[in-house]
Amino acid sequence: INIKKILKYIHASYCNVFDHIVLLCSIFCFVPVGYVQARLAYVEAQGELKVPFKDALPTREEQLSTLRNTEEFDVLVVGGGATGSGCALDAVTRNLKTALVERSDFSSGTSSRSTKLIHGGVRYLQKAIMKLDYEQYMMVKEALHERANLLNIAPHLSAPLPIMLPVYKWWQLPYYWAGIKMYDLVAGSQCLKSSYVLSKSKALELFPMLKKDKLVGAIVYYDGQHNDARMNLAIALTAARHGAAIANYTEVVHLLKKPDPKTGQEKVCGAHCRDIITGQEFDVRARCVINATGPFTDSLRKMDNQKTANICQPSAGVHIVIPGYYSPDNMGLLDPATSDGRVIFFLPWEKMTVAGTTDTPTEVTAHPIPVEDDINFILSEVRNYLSPDVEVRRGDVLAAWSGIRPLVTDPNSKDTQSICRNHIVNISDSGLITIAGGKWTTYRSMAEETLDTAIKAHNLSAGPSRTVGLMLDGGKDWTPTLYIRLVQDYGLENEVAQHLAATYGGRAFEVAKMAQVTGKRWPIVGKRLVSEFPYIESEVQYAVKEYACTVIDVIARRTRLGFLNVQAADEALPRIVEIMGNELQWTEQKKKEELEAAKKYLHLEMGYKARSEQLSKTTEISLTAPEIARYKKRFYKFDKESKGFITTVDVQQVLEKLSIQIDENALHEILNEVDLNKNGQVELDEFLQLMSAVQRGQISDSRLAILMKTVEEGLDLRGPVSVDRSGGGV
């Protein structure tokens, strides 16, 4: 008896009926947990994948050459986000001749600006239960399966994360517990770890920053967390290694069409593309074109048909990054009901803390900018859950970004105003396949459905999807102890080795081999770009091999420095420009343009502008008379001549008395942060404005404020030379 075939038949025949029964019975606890888990965990076995795997990536020039010179592809994917890259990987592993073009960089849009969670959607399950909504239930079930798969195929980039849900009312404890247990139940055997209830004292032990007043207890459940931009890149690189021709900075100028020989109707048969780097234009012909452009879905649909109605309803989600001490190293926090009904996550990520997200209607743009109102809303909600002992300061926001969530309406729906809760796959009259909506976690299943539709609509010769269990780039050779070999074999710092292993997986050795000797006793190799982050210079060189074309690609997606600390990223820019310039043969003019573009990106899209404006907008000096007197005294320890301003020369003279050495360029940068009128000197009013902003929490970690305070304390400790020690003055 072939048990596998019998199970497969039962699964196919009774799936819909049985799932309804499971949903209803689970709600009323009529079904034994083990039985439900066994039923929901069933996954069809994946067939053996017989596709050549390229160890060495083709260069970008080679990829462009393939795009230009291939007579016809089976599939052309437009869009290099998670869904587009997933479509390319699904197509090429079905042995379809595959191409992918992306107007900017891989993951440059929404896919790199997420909450960094791989989740099933607890709140969707709540809606499914409360409204007996089968569609919501199936969406959660699918997402939980995809969560398990993604954690399996990219173990270096993802890991389970416990998330605490604090409870401040007794009646909410059983209510939330039932909902979270249902979440575990639907996940079945793919449940990452069983949720559990904590007493008040245990909750505070695990999350000491939590507000104590009225705290009843807490519930902890598990979801996945990942490095979203690197995950997206891993999907794209895996597709390239399997033979897909992929190219970033390649935009579609217009779609190619030809008449159908049977009907005479115009059909999409490719795209006319332009290499943004060189300006060269060329045609890419394909039997099928897939539109996976996220928020820009309607732009490509209108290239196909100007009269087509818009289906994308973009929503802006803002996230902020604050120092890691705001949260435990391995415990997140969920606020299920904010003051306006939105859900806020508060999560440790890359040794920092990410908080978000908002949900605000917006216009589609390639360069979304985080606004001050959203930043302050998140900070306000964070304050509600943290202890009063923890001062949540606006100045602690190290970076902020906005991502556009591409909510869509189904063009085939009778009610065109209803927003689709999951995703849609649409085929236009000319044969353009559009995949829109959905979420990060379900990118793979969305890609599978899209390719199934494309194969059927365009009569492509291909088998079933083979991406379940397919390891992503770097995941195959990764082990939890891989970083130890990096330390032992190459002499890397422990923190740097852990970072490389968690970013590149088994390919971390390729980055380590490129690392330069430091000239120190330890570490032997691996020069850091900035001292407080584990990113090293050889990663910039390696980024070029991973198709990085701009400095922004490096600080935003090949590393995550721009997302973690805009000031640190700004300081690393000159060295990154120098390294990339050598790798890509940039002229001095090109280097200057890249530096300015990266600074603009940090200033607008990563929240540097909002951060710096906290000082420039402080027009009033809200200090008491004693405070003003104290800060004036501190200022005049540097302004010996009472000029009313200080320069780098003044500061250096004082530092020399304490035998403190600071590089002149670094000192200039420190003063420039406070020099509002940019005249090369810090006036007394500017200094008092700075101290007022520091007092109010609008500015934190001001290097000048901390430096001057430290120097003042050092001078006070030294004090005047006593008469006794001078021999009585004789």
Side-chain angles (χ1 to χ4, degrees):
I1 300 173
N2 192 324
I3 301 298
K4 187 181 291 185
K5 285 187 177 180
I6 293 173
L7 285 173
K8 189 174 179 181
Y9 173 76
I10 293 172
H11 182 267
S13 302
Y14 298 103
C15 180
N16 291 338
V17 176
F18 200 86
D19 280 332
H20 272 105
I21 296 171
V22 167
L23 174 60
L24 292 171
C25 292
S26 297
I27 292 168
F28 298 106
C29 302
F30 291 152
V31 180
V33 173
Y35 181 64
V36 176
Q37 287 182 336
R39 166 63 187 80
L40 296 179
Y42 177 75
V43 179
E44 186 177 340
Q46 175 196 343
E48 185 181 354
L49 187 65
K50 296 180 180 178
V51 180
F53 190 89
K54 295 183 179 179
D55 189 54
L57 276 173
T59 65
R60 183 173 180 274
E61 289 68 28
E62 290 171 339
Q63 295 281 35
L64 286 168
S65 177
T66 302
L67 289 172
R68 286 193 301 266
N69 299 324
T70 300
E71 184 177 345
E72 185 180 50
F73 289 95
D74 293 317
V75 174
L76 167 63
V77 181
V78 183
T83 306
S85 299
C87 286
L89 180 58
D90 191 283
V92 75
T93 51
R94 296 193 198 208
N95 294 320
L96 293 171
K97 193 178 293 184
T98 305
L100 179 148
V101 293
E102 160 60 44
R103 180 174 63 180
S104 186
D105 185 29
F106 305 111
S107 192
S108 58
T110 308
S111 296
S112 64
R113 301 167 189 250
S114 74
T115 312
K116 323 303 178 194
L117 284 178
I118 311 170
H119 63 101
V122 173
R123 63 185 185 276
Y124 297 127
L125 183 60
Q126 180 189 24
K127 292 177 184 177
I129 295 171
M130 298 302 291
K131 298 180 181 180
L132 290 180
D133 190 324
Y134 181 67
E135 182 187 347
Q136 294 272 16
Y137 165 72
M138 290 304 296
M139 187 168 67
V140 174
K141 183 183 173 188
E142 175 191 46
L144 288 170
H145 168 259
E146 294 302 320
R147 179 188 71 177
N149 182 65
L150 196 50
L151 287 165
N152 179 49
I153 64 177
H156 58 306
L157 293 170
S158 59
L161 175 72
I163 300 175
M164 181 181 291
L165 199 161
V167 180
Y168 289 90
K169 295 178 182 178
W170 279 107
W171 68 267
Q172 289 179 333
L173 201 60
Y175 175 75
Y176 286 142
W177 178 84
I180 295 298
K181 277 299 173 187
M182 187 67 65
Y183 194 57
D184 293 348
L185 187 68
V186 175
S189 64
Q190 295 171 332
C191 177
L192 302 180
K193 190 175 180 181
S194 184
S195 58
Y196 53 93
V197 178
L198 291 173
S199 65
K200 176 180 178 177
S201 59
K202 192 65 178 176
L204 291 171
E205 182 182 329
L206 292 176
F207 208 119
M209 308 85 176
L210 208 56
K211 185 171 70 175
K212 303 174 185 177
D213 294 346
K214 299 181 181 179
L215 181 68
V216 173
I219 299 168
V220 175
Y221 74 98
Y222 285 76
D223 257 330
Q225 188 178 48
H226 68 154
N227 186 338
D228 52 4
R230 290 293 321 183
M231 185 74 81
N232 191 160
L233 187 64
I235 299 166
L237 294 179
T238 306
R241 292 186 190 279
H242 279 84
I246 67 172
N248 54 352
Y249 293 98
T250 305
E251 68 175 345
V252 172
V253 179
H254 61 80
L255 295 173
L256 302 176
K257 291 187 177 182
K258 66 180 180 181
D260 188 306
K262 295 181 180 178
T263 64
Q265 186 179 6
E266 291 284 302
K267 294 290 184 180
V268 173
C269 63
H272 182 71
C273 300
R274 183 171 72 92
D275 177 3
I276 293 175
I277 305 296
T278 64
Q280 185 179 16
E281 297 190 7
F282 53 91
D283 288 341
V284 179
R285 298 196 174 274
R287 296 173 63 187
C288 170
V289 176
I290 295 175
N291 174 12
T293 53
F296 300 95
T297 294
D298 289 324
S299 298
L300 200 70
R301 293 177 77 243
K302 287 184 182 297
M303 281 187 189
D304 177 33
N305 180 2
Q306 278 291 336
K307 296 180 181 179
T308 192
N310 287 347
I311 62 171
C312 186
Q313 298 189 7
S315 172
V318 171
H319 293 82
I320 63 172
V321 172
I322 50 183
Y325 54 69
Y326 274 103
S327 65
D329 291 339
N330 192 37
M331 178 70 75
L333 186 75
L334 168 64
D335 180 355
T338 61
S339 56
D340 65 354
R342 293 180 285 193
V343 173
I344 290 286
F345 284 98
F346 190 66
L347 310 167
W349 181 66
E350 300 285 325
K351 298 189 177 179
M352 296 294 180
T353 301
V354 174
T357 178
T358 60
D359 188 4
T360 311
T362 186
E363 296 295 321
V364 176
T365 172
H367 307 287
I369 298 172
V371 296
E372 191 64 26
D373 286 347
D374 285 337
I375 294 172
N376 285 323
F377 167 77
I378 296 171
L379 288 173
S380 176
E381 294 302 325
V382 167
R383 289 187 187 102
N384 291 337
Y385 273 85
L386 295 188
S387 168
D389 297 339
V390 180
E391 184 184 358
V392 181
R393 305 175 297 182
R394 173 60 181 85
D396 283 335
V397 177
L398 303 173
W401 69 85
S402 176
I404 299 178
R405 185 184 179 198
L407 301 175
V408 292
T409 53
D410 190 342
N412 300 318
S413 174
K414 294 179 182 178
D415 178 13
T416 56
Q417 297 304 312
S418 61
I419 296 179
C420 180
R421 286 170 292 192
N422 199 342
H423 64 270
I424 60 169
V425 179
N426 175 254
I427 310 174
S428 73
D429 293 339
S430 63
L432 176 68
I433 308 286
T434 295
I435 170 66
K439 58 181 180 178
W440 226 119
T441 308
T442 57
Y443 85 91
R444 192 213 62 82
S445 59
M446 290 164 60
E448 178 181 344
E449 183 182 338
T450 304
L451 264 297
D452 286 343
T453 302
I455 289 166
K456 184 177 180 181
H458 293 274
N459 297 316
L460 303 177
S461 178
S465 175
R466 295 177 173 178
T467 50
V468 172
L470 176 66
M471 299 299 287
L472 297 184
D473 193 52
K476 184 179 179 182
D477 299 320
W478 178 86
T479 66
T481 56
L482 182 143
Y483 76 95
I484 297 175
R485 287 176 53 203
L486 290 170
V487 175
Q488 293 175 336
D489 293 354
Y490 294 95
L492 288 161
E493 289 177 86
N494 192 57
E495 185 185 11
V496 170
Q498 288 178 326
H499 153 67
L500 294 181
T503 302
Y504 305 94
R507 299 195 178 276
F509 295 97
E510 297 176 24
V511 184
K513 288 175 185 175
M514 300 169 71
Q516 292 182 339
V517 175
T518 63
K520 302 177 183 177
R521 183 185 63 80
W522 190 264
I524 298 171
V525 301
K527 293 183 179 179
R528 295 195 183 206
L529 289 169
V530 284
S531 60
E532 67 266 43
F533 289 93
Y535 304 115
I536 58 175
E537 292 183 356
S538 63
E539 289 184 80
V540 182
Q541 296 171 272
Y542 193 75
V544 174
K545 296 181 181 296
E546 292 183 325
Y547 307 129
C549 299
T550 71
V551 173
I552 297 172
D553 296 343
V554 172
I555 61 173
R557 294 170 287 274
R558 303 310 184 280
T559 71
R560 308 312 306 274
L561 189 55
F563 277 73
L564 294 170
N565 190 318
V566 286
Q567 227 171 334
D570 186 59
E571 291 177 13
L573 289 181
R575 182 57 182 149
I576 294 173
V577 168
E578 184 182 346
I579 296 170
M580 289 194 77
N582 292 336
E583 293 291 318
L584 296 171
Q585 309 299 310
W586 285 346
T587 63
E588 289 303 316
Q589 179 61 29
K590 175 64 174 174
K591 290 180 183 179
K592 184 178 179 182
E593 290 171 359
E594 283 292 321
L595 184 62
E596 290 304 313
K599 283 182 174 291
K600 183 179 179 182
Y601 171 80
L602 292 173
H603 189 68
L604 296 177
E605 295 184 52
M606 289 293 113
Y608 209 165
K609 179 182 179 183
R611 179 179 170 87
S612 61
E613 282 179 350
Q614 294 307 301
L615 178 58
S616 60
K617 285 184 177 178
T618 310
T619 54
E620 295 182 3
I621 300 172
S622 56
L623 297 170
T624 64
E627 287 172 339
I628 290 176
R630 185 168 81 248
Y631 293 135
K632 278 186 176 180
K633 180 184 175 183
R634 183 177 300 172
F635 184 82
Y636 286 122
K637 285 185 181 292
F638 292 83
D639 181 18
K640 296 290 187 182
E641 301 172 5
S642 299
K643 305 184 298 295
F645 63 86
I646 58 174
T647 64
T648 53
V649 175
D650 295 320
V651 178
Q652 277 181 325
Q653 287 176 349
V654 177
L655 293 178
E656 285 173 3
K657 292 181 180 179
L658 295 173
S659 301
I660 298 174
Q661 297 291 327
I662 295 182
D663 179 71
E664 186 177 348
N665 291 330
L667 197 56
H668 176 75
E669 286 181 11
I670 291 172
L671 265 67
N672 191 52
E673 292 172 9
V674 187
D675 181 12
L676 301 180
N677 54 16
K678 303 304 176 188
N679 62 355
Q681 56 197 32
V682 175
E683 283 123 15
L684 176 59
D685 282 350
E686 290 174 328
F687 178 67
L688 292 177
Q689 279 183 286
L690 168 67
M691 298 315 299
S692 180
V694 169
Q695 289 274 66
R696 295 207 297 262
Q698 291 177 298
I699 295 291
S700 65
D701 303 327
S702 168
R703 293 184 289 180
L704 182 63
I706 294 172
L707 174 65
M708 292 179 72
K709 180 183 179 181
T710 304
V711 168
E712 181 186 42
E713 291 172 349
L715 291 173
D716 290 344
L717 283 173
R718 287 180 60 176
V721 179
S722 68
V723 175
D724 293 336
R725 288 189 62 192
S726 66
V730 180

